[in-house]
Amino acid sequence: MNDVFHQGELSVQNLAGEGAVAAQNSKMISSHFSNGIVKFLRTQQFAVLSSTDRKGKVWVTFLTGQPGFAEVQDEQRLAIRAELLEADPLAEEPDKEKQIGLLIIDTNRRIRLRINGTAKMDKEFMVTAQQMYGNCPKYIQKRSFRPEKDPSRLLKSSQRNKELSQQQQDWIAHADTFYIGSMNDKGEMDASHRGGNPGFIHVQDAKTILFPDYFGNSMFNTLGNIYSNPLSGLLFINYEYGHSLHLTGSAEIIWDEEESSVFPGAERLVRFEISEVVQLENANDLRWEDTELSPYNP
């Protein structure tokens, strides 16, 4: 992964007419952990991870722990002391080093750090960073962790299907946040955040969802990957009960202005076609406070 852009990102930037802004923003990409990043990571409890399973499908999951569970080892290596549930779609291949996208997000302060590179997944994750950079606070809903854990979440269960149930469709239709994992044509991963007011995601049917792409930092990491490789994954979290909903499939960018106009504030749309669904009950025992919606939401 280079320090500027993937070819797909350049193509999308040209189509969107935002190449100059993207080139300026790309200067903040680094290949090593700065002192500021080290201090930020010491306080964090939540990370989003994207990678592929043994069949090459893209999935997104999340990791939690006590403050400091993500600890910098040297200029390029980061240890994350967390484990995936056995039924997690990315728990299939421990001990194998894989391409990953990592998003460390502080929803209380609306700060996010993106790290792309490789990781060996075992009882802890040893990440070797190749790119890292911060993102703007846009569309992050403010949430903080409660100090106590929820003992009722100790009982774990899972379900796997080829399409969304009605309950899952309702979950997505009322969501204000999700996370997206994407992969370029070289197999390099990225994990990103999407937010909006509840209802900003449209469920077309049990296999198809449509969501707006709002104006961001113009770097087009996600859209650039989708442009070159449609394989992608989505993650939804039930912040009240700790359940998680993982979707894998393919994404397509929709440039039609008339179709996008139905979504307030949308620069363009993304259509996501689902190939598989995994729902984990009580995926973690952490508890989140009430939500304060982002002032940037259209």
Side-chain angles (χ1 to χ4, degrees):
M1 197 173 290
N2 59 47
D3 289 337
V4 188
F5 302 109
H6 305 151
Q7 187 62 43
E9 291 162 9
L10 286 167
S11 300
V12 171
Q13 289 152 10
N14 292 335
L15 286 170
E18 298 179 35
V21 178
Q24 181 64 33
N25 288 340
S26 72
K27 295 177 182 178
M28 65 185 178
I29 297 174
S30 175
S31 60
H32 64 275
F33 293 103
S34 66
N35 289 335
I37 291 176
V38 172
K39 291 178 181 178
F40 169 71
L41 290 173
R42 285 174 181 161
T43 64
Q44 299 312 300
Q45 297 181 253
F46 178 57
V48 175
L49 176 76
S50 69
S51 192
T52 54
D53 65 13
R54 62 169 63 98
K55 296 179 181 178
K57 294 181 178 180
V58 176
W59 294 94
V60 188
T61 192
F62 71 113
L63 308 168
T64 60
Q66 295 303 308
F69 85 121
E71 183 178 9
V72 173
Q73 306 295 295
D74 55 39
E75 285 192 343
Q76 282 193 291
R77 293 188 308 140
L78 174 71
I80 302 179
R81 297 181 177 91
E83 293 185 65
L84 297 176
L85 295 179
E86 185 177 346
D88 191 289
L90 288 178
E92 296 180 324
E93 295 183 282
D95 299 323
K96 181 179 179 181
E97 188 170 64
K98 301 170 69 173
Q99 291 282 343
I100 59 103
L102 188 65
L103 176 68
I104 311 286
I105 185 165
D106 186 329
T107 55
N108 185 41
R109 294 186 290 165
R110 294 190 168 114
I111 299 173
R112 50 185 161 173
L113 171 70
R114 288 164 77 166
I115 300 172
N116 297 330
T118 61
K120 187 174 182 181
M121 304 181 186
D122 198 352
K123 292 188 176 180
E124 69 177 24
F125 292 79
M126 185 58 67
V127 177
T128 301
Q130 297 170 353
Q131 286 185 338
M132 61 191 83
Y133 54 97
N135 263 160
C136 67
K138 287 182 178 178
Y139 319 118
I140 298 177
Q141 327 303 351
K142 186 175 182 180
R143 289 184 171 93
S144 57
F145 286 115
R146 297 177 185 174
E148 74 278 8
K149 294 185 177 183
D150 186 350
S152 68
R153 298 186 187 175
L154 295 178
L155 183 61
K156 316 291 184 182
S157 62
S158 65
Q159 50 182 290
R160 201 166 188 136
N161 297 290
K162 295 296 184 182
E163 60 183 32
L164 297 169
S165 67
Q166 187 58 55
Q167 178 267 334
Q168 291 166 341
Q169 293 181 50
D170 293 342
W171 177 348
I172 293 171
H174 292 90
D176 60 49
T177 297
F178 70 94
Y179 302 91
I180 180 167
S182 59
M183 176 173 63
N184 68 10
D185 53 4
K186 298 178 183 178
E188 298 162 332
M189 304 297 305
D190 185 72
S192 189
H193 162 279
R194 292 292 186 271
N197 288 328
F200 82 111
I201 309 163
H202 289 199
V203 180
Q204 294 189 307
D205 55 48
K207 298 277 288 185
T208 312
I209 64 176
L210 196 65
F211 58 86
D213 186 71
Y214 299 138
F215 180 76
N217 59 13
S218 300
M219 292 179 71
F220 291 91
N221 301 76
T222 300
L223 294 188
N225 284 351
I226 291 172
Y227 188 81
S228 66
N229 184 349
L231 294 180
S232 47
L234 307 183
L235 168 69
F236 295 85
I237 297 174
N238 182 309
Y239 293 98
E240 184 176 359
Y241 296 105
H243 310 322
S244 60
L245 183 62
H246 312 251
L247 314 179
T248 190
S250 60
E252 174 191 8
I253 305 169
I254 300 172
W255 299 97
D256 185 83
E257 292 184 5
E258 184 176 349
E259 196 168 351
S260 298
S261 67
V262 178
F263 294 74
E267 296 281 304
R268 58 204 65 83
L269 303 178
V270 176
R271 178 182 290 113
F272 185 81
E273 299 288 346
I274 298 164
S275 63
E276 198 166 0
V277 179
V278 173
Q279 181 172 332
L280 302 179
E281 302 290 314
N282 300 316
N284 75 96
D285 57 359
L286 291 174
R287 305 174 72 178
W288 277 269
E289 299 280 2
D290 293 336
T291 304
E292 177 185 306
L293 293 174
S294 169
Y296 291 99
N297 291 347

